[in-house]
Amino acid sequence: MKVYLLGGLLAAAGSAHAQPAQTVDPRRPVDYVNPFIGTADHGHTYPGATVPFGMVQLSPDNGRSGWDWCSGYNYGDSVIAGFSHLHLSGTGIGDLCDISVMPSIGILPGTGKITSAFSHDREIAEPGYYAVLLKDFGVWAELTTTLHAGMHRYIFPGSGNSMIRFDLGFAINWDKATEGYFQKINDTTFVGYRYSTGWAKDQRVYFAVVLSKPIKDIALYGDGAQVKADRVKAQDVKACLLFDTRPAERILMKVGLSFADIDGAKKSLGEIPGWDFDAVRKIAVDAWEDELGKVTVASDNTKLKQTFYTALYHSFEAPVTFTDRDLRYKGIDGKPVQATGKRYTVHSIWDTFRANNPLFTILQPDRVPDIVNSYLDFYDQYGLLPVWDLEYNETNCMTGYHSVAVISDAILKGFKGFDVEKAYAAMKKSAMQDIRGTNLYRQYGYVPQDKMGSSVTITLEYAYDDWCIAQVAKSLGKTDDYALFMKRAHAYVPLFDKGTGFFRAKNADGSWVQPFDPYYSEHDPDKAMYTEGNAWQHSWFVPQDPQGLINLFGSKAAYVDKLDSLFSVSSVLKGDNTSPDISGMIGQYAQGNEPSHHIAYLYNYAGEPWKTADRIRLITSTLYDNTPHGLCGNEDCGQMSAWYVFSALGFYPVNPVSEEYVIGSPLFDRVSLSLPGNKTFTLVALNNSPANKYVQSARLNGKRYDKSYITHADIEAGGVLELTMGDKPGKTWGTSAADVPASMSAPAAN
């Protein structure tokens, strides 16, 4: 059994090593993954077993509520209250943790909470596998999964009072069970469901269970009262499966899930035909290796590889499969829906449109059409594209209508397998809706703060989404729509205050909201001017028109000076209710939350890519590492890690819907991406080291390359980008106006 030895922070900015001859590494990418990364502090990841984009996330829960238990588990805790089958990866709101199971001994069946102490020296987490010793009971618990099912292996001590308890009333944070059902079919087979409400208002998950050993008895409880029957239906259901066990006796259990019905859950059990736990575990590990092996890296730095491959692992945990084996799922009205292909849920789009979805266009292209079709199925049933979909519930969490960006990117990059005209109509409907401030945005040309909170962020993000719609309109020959949405893409302009150099909130009469303090943060979205941030962090979101932003500052020098200040001013936040999401701070730059993620790359647009390199090496070396504390903020369903993946590779999608990836400072000596059609794109960093972090020159497929970005077409075609690195800023590469990333400037607004 592998136990991870968790070290301290990566010490040196840059992290990568120079290139003496490197030894052959027998380890596979999957062997470097440490699922404990991000489980401490505010990372909110879970350590349990899952497969890439799997429906099942079988992981331990500490049994507590609170912000740092949004995934059910925090590394700083010392007790386990059960192993549930559904989890969120790194969100800032807690939910799921459905179908909780807890093995125990010596406890009479009852309705109270069961917990056990545990310690990290007897805890293991690997891709597709989790194990822990429950100290209070002497039970060794092991977990693994398939796409739609979980498998448990419990090693019990000798006891006449061994038990596996299902607690369908178990809930964390916002979640609350509304109805549970558990039925005994025979002494080894059981079925049921759990309905609940919380962040997602209507959650329904169905399960089927098969045991390797018949029970000797069963005790069922509904709302605290024992039920003398073979089934129970109540708000709070507990089912106690009772056994006699010999010393070190193994009891295995298979749990199939479906969001459609019990029949679908039964069919999920077909993914585990026998009782060979280790074979199922190997299949899960191999599934992860297939995905992680799409990227190969060269470095002698083991900690760097652990950090990188775990980031790639986290990037591929969500969205999660929503359809069962028959391609059915729970529709928005609660009834089963028959899909025409695989559908996904848990779309944290405000976060993931920035880097995680763009990463899919390179490394998960086969999934992109299904993700788009998931949005379009949601649109068919709800009438609008999803904002933040959780089990096909619209949570309306966060700002923007960024599914527009994901769909636009798929259309413009030539993905097939979905109805483009329907997708365009859905995008346009999001922009023309009369909720979430869009009516105010259209009426005033910006969202007035005295009409709606978070007005600055909403305005800037709507302007970007409208630019995305405009590009699709242009590609489809819809010239009137193109002109309309390009004009709306300039909605950022009225909110720029040249006197302060910040985007600021305005009232409906056009006056600035007073008083103004760029350090001020308010977490309440109805009172805030900026979502989970302040003026420092939100005054850089114009990815559709970076040159337009530079022009607002009056000169490149003024723009760069302001960028420099962002990273050097005090990190103090002002206000009585500052947002806890503002974390991982360097000056007022906040890597721990998504609005900052593109900012370090903006120096390239001003022809100073060496400053991008400085910032990227600083962020990657001080705010990420290979320990449980290795994330400086919420993982947010893969976005925090996708930023690291791109940055470690050496480039980043500042504008996720453009063709361009802005070059930063690669951490590895060599990376290769396996692409469809048997193609490979390789980036080589010559003379790379912590000190040699600046690009001096570049060659693309053997030819001189002076641009400080690379295109999606260049990557997709395969080839080699060779960067020569040095310890002093390269003042000739990427500095001329012709070599900076292209400005996506719209025609002048009327």
Side-chain angles (χ1 to χ4, degrees):
M1 293 182 290
K2 183 195 303 179
V3 178
Y4 285 99
L5 301 177
L6 304 174
L9 291 172
L10 294 174
S15 302
H17 286 285
Q19 296 161 337
Q22 294 169 343
T23 57
V24 175
D25 188 349
R27 288 170 290 183
R28 304 175 299 168
V30 72
D31 298 324
Y32 286 100
V33 175
N34 176 5
F36 286 120
I37 292 177
T39 57
D41 308 322
H42 306 320
H44 297 183
T45 61
Y46 61 85
T50 190
V51 296
F53 307 98
M55 175 183 285
V56 179
Q57 308 86 39
L58 184 49
S59 192
D61 301 311
N62 301 130
R64 305 182 198 277
S65 291
W67 197 52
D68 284 333
W69 284 265
C70 285
S71 74
Y73 175 99
N74 187 281
Y75 194 80
D77 214 319
S78 60
V79 300
I80 286 175
F83 308 104
S84 58
H85 290 74
L86 299 176
H87 290 84
L88 294 169
S89 178
T91 57
I93 299 176
D95 207 328
L96 303 189
C97 295
D98 298 76
I99 320 302
S100 177
V101 177
M102 185 65 168
S104 66
I105 65 163
I107 294 180
L108 293 176
T111 59
K113 179 183 283 189
I114 300 175
T115 63
S116 172
F118 78 104
S119 60
H120 297 306
D121 62 348
R122 300 301 306 276
E123 184 185 36
I124 303 169
E126 300 172 6
Y129 177 74
Y130 176 85
V132 68
L133 176 66
L134 300 175
K135 289 185 173 182
D136 290 6
F137 310 125
V139 174
W140 179 250
E142 297 177 279
L143 312 172
T144 190
T145 67
T146 63
L147 189 64
H148 297 98
M151 191 172 193
H152 307 237
R153 181 166 66 185
Y154 300 132
I155 303 178
F156 282 91
S159 174
N161 293 300
S162 294
M163 178 171 69
I164 298 174
R165 188 174 82 165
F166 281 74
D167 186 353
L168 304 186
F170 179 85
I172 66 165
N173 292 335
W174 292 13
D175 188 46
K176 180 182 180 181
T178 57
E179 182 176 305
Y181 177 75
F182 194 97
Q183 179 184 358
K184 173 188 170 185
I185 304 299
N186 55 47
D187 285 346
T188 59
T189 308
F190 312 86
V191 297
Y193 60 76
R194 181 181 189 267
Y195 298 166
S196 61
T197 188
W199 189 16
K201 297 304 180 186
D202 181 20
Q203 302 171 53
R204 306 184 188 196
V205 58
Y206 302 85
F207 63 90
V209 180
V210 177
L211 294 166
S212 63
K213 175 179 178 171
I215 61 172
K216 72 172 184 180
D217 201 357
I218 185 171
L220 300 177
Y221 295 83
D223 297 334
Q226 187 167 4
V227 177
K228 297 292 187 178
D230 64 356
R231 69 194 67 189
V232 59
K233 181 191 293 186
Q235 181 177 357
D236 179 8
V237 167
K238 292 176 173 57
C240 305
L241 311 182
L242 308 176
F243 307 86
D244 292 328
T245 54
R246 303 181 307 277
E249 182 175 357
R250 297 181 177 188
I251 297 180
L252 287 85
M253 180 170 68
K254 298 181 279 192
V255 181
L257 298 187
S258 170
F259 292 107
D261 53 28
I262 287 175
D263 185 58
K266 291 178 179 177
K267 291 181 179 179
S268 293
L269 293 173
E271 293 179 348
I272 310 176
W275 292 103
D276 191 337
F277 181 94
D278 294 323
V280 176
R281 174 184 173 185
K282 182 180 184 303
I283 291 170
V285 172
D286 289 346
W288 277 113
E289 176 61 22
D290 287 344
E291 300 299 340
L292 302 175
K294 293 175 180 178
V295 183
T296 56
V297 301
S299 173
D300 290 329
N301 189 328
T302 297
K303 291 181 178 180
L304 178 61
K305 288 181 178 179
Q306 289 173 339
T307 305
F308 174 80
Y309 278 116
T310 306
L312 193 59
Y313 167 87
H314 282 146
S315 299
F316 293 164
E317 285 186 304
V320 303
T321 299
F322 197 46
T323 41
D324 62 19
R325 297 185 78 193
D326 288 335
L327 299 179
R328 296 178 309 136
Y329 64 91
K330 178 194 77 71
I332 286 176
D333 63 0
K335 298 176 182 178
V337 173
Q338 180 66 57
T340 57
K342 184 175 288 186
R343 298 293 180 262
Y344 295 92
T345 187
V346 187
H347 296 286
S348 184
I349 307 174
W350 187 78
D351 307 293
T352 63
F353 87 94
R354 305 166 196 264
N356 206 31
N357 287 103
L359 189 64
F360 296 163
T361 67
I362 299 174
L363 296 178
Q364 298 289 340
D366 291 344
R367 299 185 196 271
V368 171
D370 287 335
I371 290 173
V372 172
N373 281 319
S374 299
Y375 296 171
L376 294 180
D377 271 18
F378 189 96
Y379 165 75
D380 285 340
Q381 299 171 45
Y382 182 71
L384 291 169
L385 291 168
V387 174
W388 210 122
D389 146 48
L390 180 55
E391 296 189 2
Y392 264 44
N393 289 263
E394 178 57 270
T395 68
N396 268 312
C397 187
M398 309 309 292
T399 48
Y401 32 85
H402 299 310
S403 53
V404 159
V406 178
I407 296 172
S408 296
D409 194 37
I411 293 172
L412 296 171
K413 287 186 169 67
F415 283 90
K416 308 298 182 184
F418 57 90
D419 187 332
V420 172
E421 286 291 345
K422 177 180 177 179
Y424 180 76
M427 292 191 294
K428 189 174 177 180
K429 189 170 182 181
S430 286
M432 296 300 185
Q433 63 187 322
D434 288 326
I435 59 173
R436 297 173 53 83
T438 51
N439 53 337
L440 299 171
Y441 170 74
R442 294 194 302 273
Q443 179 181 352
Y444 293 93
Y446 60 91
V447 176
Q449 181 67 22
D450 54 350
K451 301 289 185 179
M452 187 172 187
S454 306
S455 62
V456 178
T457 301
I458 292 172
T459 299
L460 298 180
E461 293 185 5
Y462 283 170
Y464 175 69
D465 291 334
D466 286 345
W467 176 87
C468 296
I469 297 172
Q471 306 318 299
V472 176
K474 183 179 181 180
S475 74
L476 298 177
K478 301 179 186 295
T479 55
D480 290 344
D481 281 358
Y482 172 71
L484 169 66
F485 286 105
M486 284 299 265
K487 180 178 180 180
R488 285 170 54 163
H490 276 92
Y492 70 91
V493 174
L495 297 190
F496 188 78
D497 177 13
K498 294 182 183 293
T500 63
F502 292 101
F503 286 113
R504 291 181 54 187
K506 277 186 173 180
N507 294 309
D509 64 5
S511 62
W512 296 116
V513 173
Q514 300 290 355
F516 172 71
D517 186 338
Y519 295 86
Y520 179 80
S521 166
E522 169 58 55
H523 189 62
D524 185 337
D526 294 328
K527 299 176 182 178
M529 292 174 279
Y530 309 90
T531 299
E532 297 181 354
N534 62 23
W536 276 109
Q537 292 126 29
H538 283 263
S539 289
W540 305 98
F541 190 75
V542 193
Q544 75 274 24
D545 193 10
Q547 186 57 51
L549 179 59
I550 292 172
N551 293 342
L552 290 177
F553 280 96
S555 68
K556 286 184 179 180
Y559 168 86
V560 169
D561 184 63
K562 194 73 169 188
L563 263 180
D564 289 344
S565 297
L566 172 71
F567 291 93
S568 62
V569 297
S570 168
S571 295
V572 170
L573 299 173
K574 297 181 181 180
D576 297 328
N577 187 33
T578 60
S579 177
D581 298 275
I582 306 174
S583 60
M585 298 186 74
I586 302 172
Q588 282 290 316
Y589 176 88
Q591 178 64 23
N593 208 22
E594 281 69 21
S596 287
H597 279 188
H598 68 294
I599 298 175
Y601 288 91
L602 293 179
Y603 286 105
N604 284 43
Y605 293 87
E608 298 190 14
W610 60 91
K611 289 189 174 180
T612 288
D614 275 329
R615 307 300 186 255
I616 297 306
R617 289 293 181 99
L618 179 63
I619 296 165
T620 54
S621 65
T622 62
L623 297 177
Y624 291 82
D625 66 40
N626 67 328
T627 76
H629 307 275
L631 293 175
C632 63
N634 299 165
E635 169 61 27
D636 285 324
C637 297
Q639 171 58 29
M640 194 67 62
S641 288
W643 183 94
Y644 185 88
V645 169
F646 269 120
S647 295
L649 295 177
F651 50 89
Y652 187 81
V654 170
N655 179 347
V657 182
S658 78
E659 270 277 312
E660 298 165 344
Y661 301 91
V662 178
I663 295 173
S665 183
L667 302 189
F668 295 103
D669 307 329
R670 182 186 185 94
V671 298
S672 292
L673 310 180
S674 296
L675 306 172
N678 236 9
K679 297 176 183 176
T680 302
F681 177 79
T682 300
L683 189 150
V684 178
L686 300 174
N687 306 319
N688 200 23
S689 73
N692 294 347
K693 57 188 174 182
Y694 304 110
V695 178
Q696 308 294 301
S697 62
R699 301 182 72 83
L700 179 61
N701 298 326
K703 298 180 180 179
R704 176 175 169 173
Y705 190 79
D706 292 329
K707 300 183 186 301
S708 66
Y709 63 91
I710 189 165
T711 69
H712 187 79
D714 291 331
I715 294 173
E716 198 173 38
V720 179
L721 176 64
E722 184 179 274
L723 306 178
T724 300
M725 312 298 289
D727 62 357
K728 294 180 174 57
K731 294 299 182 72
T732 59
W733 175 82
T735 58
S736 72
D739 297 329
V740 302
S743 171
M744 298 296 169
S745 182
N750 295 329

